[in-house]
Amino acid sequence: MHHDPYLNTDAGTMSPFEHGEVFVLDDGGEVDLDLGNYERFLDIKLTRDNNITTGKIYQSVIDKERRGDYLGKTVQVVPHITDEIQEWIEHVAMNPVDGTEEPADVCVIELGGTIGDIESTSFIEALGQFSYRVGPGNFCLVHVSLVPVLNVVGEQKTKPTQHSVRGLRGLGLLPDILACRSTQPLEEHVKVKLAQFCHVPIPNIINLHDVMNIWHIPLLLRDQKAHEAILKVLDLQCVGNVPREPKLAEWTDRASKCDKLKTPVRIAMVGKYTGLSDSYLSVLKALLHASVALNRKLVVDWVPSCDLEDSTAEESPDAYEKAWKSLKGADGVLVPGGFGDRGVQGKILAAKYARENNVPYLGICLGMQIAVIEFARSIMKLNGANSTEFDPTTKTPCVIFMPEGSKTHMGATMRLGSRRTYFQGNKCKSAKLYGNASYVDERHRHRYEVNPDMVPEFEKAGLSFVGRDESGKRMEIIELPTHRFFVGAQFHPEFKSRPGKPSPLFLGLIAAASGQLDHLLQRPCGVFSPTGRCSCFSNGTQNLKVYKNGHVIKPLKGLVNGHYPATGNGAIPI
């Protein structure tokens, strides 16, 4: 669960410049990018209720007051706002998020912001009350703090941590564990000093220093026995007094594999917010997941879409030249989603370049729509073709406003959250990448879509709409069959990518950009395993055949519910 102290009720209306990307959940919740980090790391599905904002809490309390729920009492921050926060936490903690019907054993609450923030005070007060109410063994407070280094003397300074812990204590919260961020590993005498001044035992001072890649962090926590400290504070009984060890073999393999990658794959990211990588965090993570799975070192070349346009050639020739050099030097081109018309012409030029030069292309949401517009203008010679989002009076509206009535929010027009896409036959690359599935559920966030009335003309000209919704009216995936890899998706596949389960469309882009697509599409089972394992069922229930290079190595028996018990996921080591 994640709390943000801002007054917006969700992240949907906030600028990516200010707050990074808007992450979309299955239920259509528009949330902070931190929720995306939790979903990726834990491989769980969160809901909009897992994101608490000050705005949501106040709105809920005001709604109750208007209904008369408080029986005429004066409504105050304490107890009404603080009680509402505690009730929200307890309610959400009981919601299963891991695919089972059982509530979780531990609920993690992140209180965003910094100690001393005015807007966080009601949440800190609520958590102080909460910790007192649930008592020892039911509440573990991990305080994250920075231990900076003064360059002049190179000394790690504990003062910022001392001050923030003092502030925390003054607000009625006592940290059980200190998580100290630093560039280099903490020196032992620094830990001793922190323990002394912050009243936290040395084993409970965990150091999170900079690492080669983020997947080393769980290993860093394990090596410092962070799990034992947390289990002890929460009084979670260990088996036979022996602490349970985290199962991190997969993390270890992935972290070391990522460090050793040498062969680069260059992807040109053509977007509006290229100055801020957090604006495209999930897209970057999805590219990384796919690259590591295919043994490639990801290199992202940021290309501001405006810099590709003719106007930049006149105003800033250096920026124009640099942008085109990056685009032409890339192994693959990705145009992510976005709103507004700034830089759209540059994105159209990027799609045109990729299409004409047989360069692998993935367009997401707006990236798919501009590929359709470019196709209409260049191939079908419809020069005025456009989206009504950019030109409401266009005579050739390829992309039109197609709102979706929300069942939960009055007046909502956005198509948000998980929706089903049906593949039109299984010959297309997309269906093969998704393991020859007949349909797939992916997350959406958009208002405009390809004009269904023009689809027959497009298909006649050679553009395939290989994925559609159940009505057949909403176009979900486009492909150019004659191209190495030219795919557009109306949904956002990046939101469901996981380190161990890369998004199929990103996998396709990286495979095409690194010369591995044919091999990837020829897998007999149609299921990708990032560990280099491949599994195929001969009759779907009993026997499992293991393939390598298209040949059966050895058949195996003993499947349990369609899975081989040794691995639990049907993937057999070869």
Side-chain angles (χ1 to χ4, degrees):
M1 187 188 308
H2 180 262
H3 158 251
D4 271 306
Y6 47 72
L7 284 168
N8 307 62
T9 55
D10 62 39
T13 55
M14 290 191 293
S15 162
F17 266 127
E18 197 170 302
H19 215 77
E21 74 173 4
V22 175
F23 189 84
V24 180
L25 302 172
D26 262 13
D27 68 358
E30 294 177 283
V31 296
D32 189 87
L33 56 81
D34 292 341
L35 275 281
N37 285 326
Y38 300 147
E39 280 208 341
R40 278 188 290 272
F41 260 82
L42 301 171
D43 196 12
I44 55 177
K45 282 184 184 175
L46 298 174
T47 70
R48 67 176 76 236
D49 287 348
N50 289 100
N51 187 219
I52 313 179
T53 69
T54 301
K56 276 184 180 179
I57 293 294
Y58 274 78
Q59 190 172 50
S60 178
V61 169
I62 290 166
D63 288 347
K64 285 181 179 178
E65 184 270 332
R66 293 289 86 187
R67 284 202 307 267
D69 291 8
Y70 298 121
L71 304 172
K73 287 181 182 163
T74 305
V75 180
Q76 296 174 288
V77 172
V78 179
H80 300 104
I81 296 291
T82 51
D83 283 354
E84 183 72 24
I85 293 165
Q86 292 176 69
E87 283 170 27
W88 196 303
I89 289 169
E90 288 188 274
H91 164 70
V92 173
M94 299 308 290
N95 290 342
V97 290
D98 60 352
T100 69
E101 292 181 7
E102 297 293 316
D105 297 324
V106 176
C107 175
V108 178
I109 305 157
E110 181 201 332
L111 176 54
T114 306
I115 292 303
D117 285 352
I118 290 173
E119 56 262 54
S120 294
T121 48
S122 53
F123 283 83
I124 289 168
E125 175 62 29
L127 286 175
Q129 291 177 20
F130 189 69
S131 66
Y132 178 73
R133 188 159 60 80
V134 298
N138 292 313
F139 189 86
C140 174
L141 177 59
V142 181
H143 181 51
V144 182
S145 180
L146 177 68
V147 178
V149 169
L150 286 183
N151 287 335
V152 186
V153 270
E155 182 191 356
Q156 293 177 331
K157 301 299 286 182
T158 62
K159 270 287 185 284
T161 306
Q162 289 181 48
H163 278 291
S164 66
V165 169
R166 191 175 301 142
L168 204 54
R169 284 174 173 275
L171 293 162
L173 283 169
L174 312 177
D176 299 296
I177 293 169
L178 281 183
C180 298
R181 281 286 288 113
S182 59
T183 49
Q184 298 299 321
L186 277 191
E187 293 158 24
E188 205 53 45
H189 73 91
V190 175
K191 278 191 176 184
V192 172
K193 196 171 178 183
L194 283 168
Q196 203 172 3
F197 285 98
C198 301
H199 306 168
V200 173
I202 288 180
N204 287 20
I205 296 175
I206 309 298
N207 180 211
L208 300 168
H209 55 78
D210 291 356
V211 286
M212 291 273 284
N213 71 67
I214 200 169
W215 297 327
H216 282 287
I217 294 293
L219 313 179
L220 204 57
L221 290 166
R222 177 202 59 196
D223 294 346
Q224 296 176 68
K225 296 192 165 34
H227 54 290
E228 289 182 21
I230 293 166
L231 289 172
K232 194 173 176 184
V233 174
L234 290 176
D235 196 22
L236 289 170
Q237 294 306 306
C238 304
V239 184
N241 287 330
V242 180
R244 283 173 285 196
E245 287 302 311
K247 295 174 183 173
L248 293 173
E250 189 188 329
W251 283 106
T252 309
D253 290 348
R254 194 179 300 121
S256 60
K257 180 182 177 184
C258 189
D259 289 342
K260 291 171 191 162
L261 295 175
K262 287 187 174 64
T263 312
V265 59
R266 301 190 82 89
I267 301 297
M269 178 93 88
V270 183
K272 189 164 66 167
Y273 298 110
T274 49
L276 186 70
S277 60
D278 270 6
S279 303
Y280 301 112
L281 186 67
S282 293
V283 174
L284 284 171
K285 294 295 182 188
L287 285 169
L288 181 67
H289 300 160
S291 303
V292 173
L294 291 168
N295 294 301
R296 290 294 182 273
K297 185 177 178 67
L298 177 67
V299 180
V300 174
D301 286 325
W302 296 94
V303 180
S305 47
C306 295
D307 289 359
L308 295 169
E309 297 173 2
D310 292 345
S311 57
T312 306
E314 294 168 22
E315 294 162 17
S316 179
D318 289 351
Y320 179 80
E321 195 179 325
K322 186 185 172 194
W324 276 101
K325 188 179 178 185
S326 295
L327 185 66
K328 290 179 176 177
D331 302 311
V333 175
L334 191 148
V335 177
F339 292 87
D341 60 358
R342 194 166 66 83
V344 162
Q345 185 54 33
K347 292 177 184 180
I348 288 174
L349 290 167
K352 181 181 174 74
Y353 167 79
R355 181 184 57 76
E356 290 181 344
N357 294 280
N358 209 19
V359 175
Y361 175 89
L362 177 60
I364 297 169
C365 198
L366 178 61
M368 164 175 152
Q369 295 171 7
I370 61 112
V372 170
I373 294 167
E374 191 281 318
F375 187 87
R377 290 181 185 178
S378 300
I379 301 296
M380 298 163 71
K381 307 301 180 199
L382 301 169
N383 295 332
N386 213 332
S387 164
T388 55
E389 181 180 5
F390 313 130
D391 179 6
T393 60
T394 176
K395 298 280 191 291
T396 316
C398 300
V399 178
I400 58 170
F401 183 52
M402 283 179 68
E404 182 178 66
S406 169
K407 295 180 179 67
T408 52
H409 290 64
M410 294 303 289
T413 56
M414 185 120 40
R415 186 162 155 86
L416 263 176
S418 184
R419 298 287 185 277
R420 188 158 286 183
T421 292
Y422 292 88
F423 289 106
Q424 314 294 302
N426 57 6
K427 294 277 193 293
C428 62
K429 295 182 180 82
S430 306
K432 288 176 183 171
L433 287 167
Y434 276 102
N436 297 319
S438 54
Y439 63 82
V440 62
D441 296 316
E442 290 279 15
R443 298 175 185 178
H444 296 67
R445 184 177 184 249
H446 63 95
R447 290 188 179 88
Y448 290 82
E449 301 201 23
V450 174
N451 183 352
D453 295 340
M454 286 187 67
V455 165
E457 294 173 57
F458 279 118
E459 295 214 301
K460 199 174 168 185
L463 186 64
S464 295
F465 293 86
V466 298
R468 305 184 186 197
D469 77 335
E470 69 281 355
S471 72
K473 296 287 184 196
R474 295 179 188 267
M475 302 302 126
E476 294 280 9
I477 307 174
I478 61 162
E479 279 187 22
L480 272 179
T482 54
H483 196 284
R484 271 167 68 198
F485 186 85
F486 193 95
V487 175
Q490 185 55 73
F491 49 78
H492 289 264
E494 67 270 22
F495 292 142
K496 289 178 79 168
S497 185
R498 305 282 181 263
K501 289 185 275 188
S503 162
L505 295 187
F506 280 86
L507 210 53
L509 175 68
I510 297 295
S514 59
Q516 303 181 71
L517 185 61
D518 289 346
H519 181 69
L520 193 67
L521 297 178
Q522 283 165 6
R523 294 156 300 157
C525 59
V527 177
F528 175 79
S529 170
T531 49
R533 304 161 182 174
C534 182
S535 61
C536 297
F537 301 100
S538 60
N539 61 11
T541 52
Q542 287 303 314
N543 299 313
L544 192 62
K545 292 181 180 177
V546 181
Y547 289 80
K548 190 171 185 180
N549 301 329
H551 301 292
V552 178
I553 310 280
K554 56 183 176 185
L556 285 154
K557 296 199 174 185
L559 273 144
V560 178
N561 296 329
H563 295 308
Y564 191 64
T567 58
N569 64 0
I572 309 301
I574 53 175

